[in-house]
Every structure is written in C-alpha cells, then in structure tokens.
Amino acid sequence: MAEAEAALRTLAHNVRAARTRAGLSLDELGRRAKVSKGALVGLEKAQGNPNFATLVRLADTLGVSVSALLEGAAQERVRVVSEDAVMPLWAGEQGSEARLMLTTSGAAPVEVWRWRLNPGEEYASHPHQAGVVETVSVTSGRMLLVVDGAEHPVDVGQTATFDADAPHTYRGAGDETCHLVMTVHLPPGPTPMS
C-alpha cells in the first residue's frame, strides 16, 4: 500500500510540474485532455486512481511520455528493468496486459512496452498527438493491428510500424497468446522532467 501511495505522490508532483511548465490551468488541461477538472484536482492532490487512457491523454496533452509522469528522480546511466518490477498499466478482462518497461531519455523519448494479448481480446487506443509513431514486434503468437479501420495481421517474427495519430487497436489473433514488444516514438518536446 505504501508503494502505491508513493507512486501516486510522484504522479501528482509530475503532472503538476508538467502542467505548470506548459503554462496550463487545471481547466485548460482538463479541456485539452478530456479529463474533468475534479479528477485533475484529485490527481494533483495524490488522490484517486487514474486509468491508463487518462494517463495517455494527459501525457499527450503535456507533450511528455507516460513514464515521465510516473517516474521519480533521474535514473542511473544504465537501467535494467525486470518485467515483474513494473505493474501493468492496462489489464484486459481475459488476462491480457500491457506494461510500460521504460522510457529513454533525450529530446525525442521512446517508450518500451511489453504486451500480452489473449486470443480475441483487444485494446482500442485513441489517436495520439501528431508525430507519435508506434512499432509492434510480435515475439510469439499473432495479432491483428487495426489502424484507422484497416486490419493488418502481424505474425510471430514480424514487425509493423504506423503513425499513431489515428485510432488504432491491438487484438490477439489465432489460438495462442500473443506476446509483443511495442515502442512509442515521441516527437521532440519540452525539456524532460527531472
């Protein structure tokens, strides 16, 4: 419980700092990110439990990575992250999940995600800001990538990339669980949070 409270305090601090740097009021951030002012006030007071979609919308609006909102102080020169050390940011009803493993530093950060999609289960994402590119590499099983309504099968050993400023869906396909690594390439933005 103390770990969750500490993570929520870090998130609250990072959202408030990024909002202040961007020169946005709570009302304006809420309007742009499509998040209620009440939810933002609670979040900045380290209260509540924002869902994955809310975190993505806030990060997109503030021009930072999701992990920039979640991470504490600056990292070591080399980071090694174990899958069991990070909590899933999305969990499907049939056991699928997505874990944000890390985000690289620099002017154009890259988020590295591990996904597990059970057959038939899907995650539908809203369009990201212009300039965001996603790449998916299937390491086992198969998936169906749907971008702006067009379906693209991606099998084990294949990699797909697309501009993520259109609606997109990840769906487990076939008879076995699909494992994939997804990267989100963010456009250069404001100075990274420290």
Side-chain angles (χ1 to χ4, degrees), residues 112-137:
V112 179
W113 293 79
R114 284 187 172 269
W115 285 74
R116 182 178 71 223
L117 291 169
N118 288 324
E121 191 156 32
E122 68 180 34
Y123 175 78
S125 178
H126 72 285
H128 298 295
Q129 64 180 320
V132 173
V133 174
E134 291 190 13
T135 301
V136 292
S137 296

Side-chain angles (χ1 to χ4, degrees), residues 94-114:
Q94 300 171 26
S96 299
E97 66 179 27
R99 295 173 189 254
L100 176 57
M101 300 303 295
L102 59 85
T103 302
T104 62
S105 59
V110 176
E111 296 177 349
V112 179
W113 293 79
R114 284 187 172 269

Side-chain angles (χ1 to χ4, degrees), residues 67 71 79-87 89 98-103 111-115 181-182:
S67 60
E71 291 177 352
R79 289 182 284 164
V80 177
V81 180
S82 174
E83 185 173 358
D84 60 352
V86 293
M87 296 295 296
L89 287 181
R99 295 173 189 254
L100 176 57
M101 300 303 295
L102 59 85
T103 302
E111 296 177 349
V112 179
W113 293 79
R114 284 187 172 269
W115 285 74
V181 175
M182 176 187 76

Side-chain angles (χ1 to χ4, degrees), residues 10-11 14-15 18 21 59 64-72 100 103 109 111 192-194:
T10 298
L11 175 63
N14 291 343
V15 167
R21 259 196 321 278
V64 299
S65 66
V66 172
S67 60
L69 296 178
L70 298 172
E71 291 177 352
L100 176 57
T103 302
E111 296 177 349
M193 297 162 70
S194 56

Side-chain angles (χ1 to χ4, degrees), residues 34-98:
K34 298 181 175 108
V35 176
S36 74
K37 181 179 178 181
L40 287 174
V41 168
L43 180 61
E44 288 194 5
K45 290 182 177 180
Q47 300 168 346
N49 186 17
N51 65 30
F52 176 53
T54 298
L55 292 176
V56 170
R57 285 194 310 272
L58 287 171
D60 279 351
T61 302
L62 293 167
V64 299
S65 66
V66 172
S67 60
L69 296 178
L70 298 172
E71 291 177 352
Q75 300 293 322
E76 302 278 331
R77 183 175 182 150
V78 174
R79 289 182 284 164
V80 177
V81 180
S82 174
E83 185 173 358
D84 60 352
V86 293
M87 296 295 296
L89 287 181
W90 171 76
E93 293 179 7
Q94 300 171 26
S96 299
E97 66 179 27

Side-chain angles (χ1 to χ4, degrees), residues 121-166:
E121 191 156 32
E122 68 180 34
Y123 175 78
S125 178
H126 72 285
H128 298 295
Q129 64 180 320
V132 173
V133 174
E134 291 190 13
T135 301
V136 292
S137 296
V138 176
T139 59
S140 68
R142 58 190 311 252
M143 70 173 290
L144 189 63
L145 172 64
V146 183
V147 178
D148 209 13
E151 296 183 350
H152 307 273
V154 185
D155 293 325
V156 63
Q158 292 184 320
T159 299
T161 188
F162 61 97
D163 294 332
D165 58 355

